Amino acid sequence: TQLLEQSPQFLSIQEGENLTVYCNSSSVFSSLQWYRQEPGEGPVLLVTVVTGGEVKKLKRLTFQFGDARKDSSLHITAAQPGDTGLYLCAGDTGTASKLTFGTGTRLQVTL
Amino acid sequence: GAVVSQHPSRVICKSGTSVKIECRSLDFQATTMFWYRQFPKKSLMLMATSNEGSKATYEQGVEKDKFLINHASLTLSTLTVTSAHPEDSSFYICSAESGTRLGYEQYFGPGTRLTVT
């Protein structure tokens, strides 16, 4: 069973602070996706990374895929209350097109 | 693009009855759709993979006779929770797979909250 462990599980910070969320596994993934989910809604795809060492930026969010394609990180600069939500990483092993979801990181940004 | 809808968004049913949840890809065709279950403050748990025109593939521990999946067209998959019990109460989310230049990405519906009384 492939496991994707996310850390931290929960993070409460004030507006303007920076943070990093980690997604780690012992398995190699052909691609890895990050989602953000708000309460009572489905996850929304933020980014897909496919190349080892790849870095993608989405405004204040920076995503990195590990060189060995086993881990990833999400860095948020100057967090805002609108960033509050559950962040999920999900890995695709390249077979059967199933995604393995991470354990999730719940972010709360307060004023 | 890549919009997925679910219906209903919320449903309350009595124990012993059956409930059908629909998942539609609105602006693309999806050969493959997925059904997930999510418990409060937890991550998504894959229940089954729904393949258009063929039988669904269920994950270990998921009862196929209790959670009936039908994927009759390239834009619609349904999940029927049969003989529902209170422990089936949960947030059910579907996703539809869309091919992109990066490979296949999943786009999620808004979820259905099922409460069994």
Side-chain angles (χ1 to χ4, degrees):
Chain A
T1 304
Q2 300 112 13
L3 290 174
L4 274 169
E5 294 286 338
Q6 286 184 237
S7 61
Q9 290 184 24
F10 180 76
L11 193 55
S12 180
I13 60 172
Q14 290 191 317
E15 183 180 20
E17 291 185 36
N18 302 331
L19 67 118
T20 302
V21 177
Y22 299 93
C23 173
N24 295 297
S25 175
S26 57
S27 301
V28 176
F29 294 99
S30 59
S31 70
L32 193 138
Q33 299 171 11
W34 282 92
Y35 294 84
R36 181 167 140 261
Q37 184 183 24
E38 298 195 25
E41 298 181 11
V44 174
L45 179 65
L46 297 174
V47 78
T48 299
V49 287
V50 297
T51 306
E54 181 178 6
V55 176
K56 279 192 174 179
K57 290 193 174 185
L58 186 66
K59 296 184 181 177
R60 295 175 294 100
L61 277 60
T62 301
F63 304 87
Q64 185 163 10
F65 202 11
D67 290 340
R69 290 185 286 125
K70 293 182 179 180
D71 53 82
S72 181
S73 64
L74 157 60
H75 182 78
I76 301 180
T77 304
Q80 299 176 0
D83 295 328
T84 293
L86 176 66
Y87 287 82
L88 297 161
C89 63
D92 171 12
T93 60
T95 58
S97 71
K98 291 193 299 186
L99 288 178
T100 299
F101 274 85
T103 47
T105 295
R106 191 165 298 277
L107 172 65
Q108 185 173 55
V109 183
T110 56
L111 293 171
Chain B
V3 179
V4 177
S5 70
Q6 273 183 249
H7 178 81
S9 57
R10 291 175 181 267
V11 58
I12 300 174
C13 70
K14 291 188 176 181
S15 190
T17 62
S18 296
V19 174
K20 180 186 284 188
I21 303 170
E22 293 186 348
C23 177
R24 294 181 185 272
S25 55
L26 298 185
D27 50 1
F28 65 103
Q29 293 184 328
T31 305
T32 304
M33 292 185 175
F34 301 88
W35 286 97
Y36 295 84
R37 184 171 179 177
Q38 187 176 32
F39 292 100
K41 299 185 179 181
K42 296 294 184 182
S43 187
L44 276 67
M45 182 187 77
L46 178 65
M47 297 174 66
T49 301
S50 172
N51 302 296
E52 187 267 336
S54 64
K55 290 183 179 181
T57 304
Y58 290 82
E59 295 300 299
Q60 193 172 11
V62 178
E63 298 176 61
K64 63 179 182 180
D65 294 330
K66 180 164 185 65
F67 298 99
L68 300 178
I69 292 172
N70 187 308
H71 193 156
S73 79
L74 288 172
T75 59
L76 173 65
S77 175
T78 60
L79 168 68
T80 300
V81 183
T82 63
S83 186
H85 287 98
E87 56 265 31
D88 298 325
S89 298
S90 193
F91 193 52
Y92 292 88
I93 309 176
C94 73
S95 71
E97 186 176 77
S98 177
T100 72
R101 62 181 179 82
L102 297 178
Y104 287 94
E105 294 178 338
Q106 291 188 27
Y107 294 89
F108 286 81
T112 296
R113 182 157 305 283
L114 169 64
T115 302
V116 185
T117 60

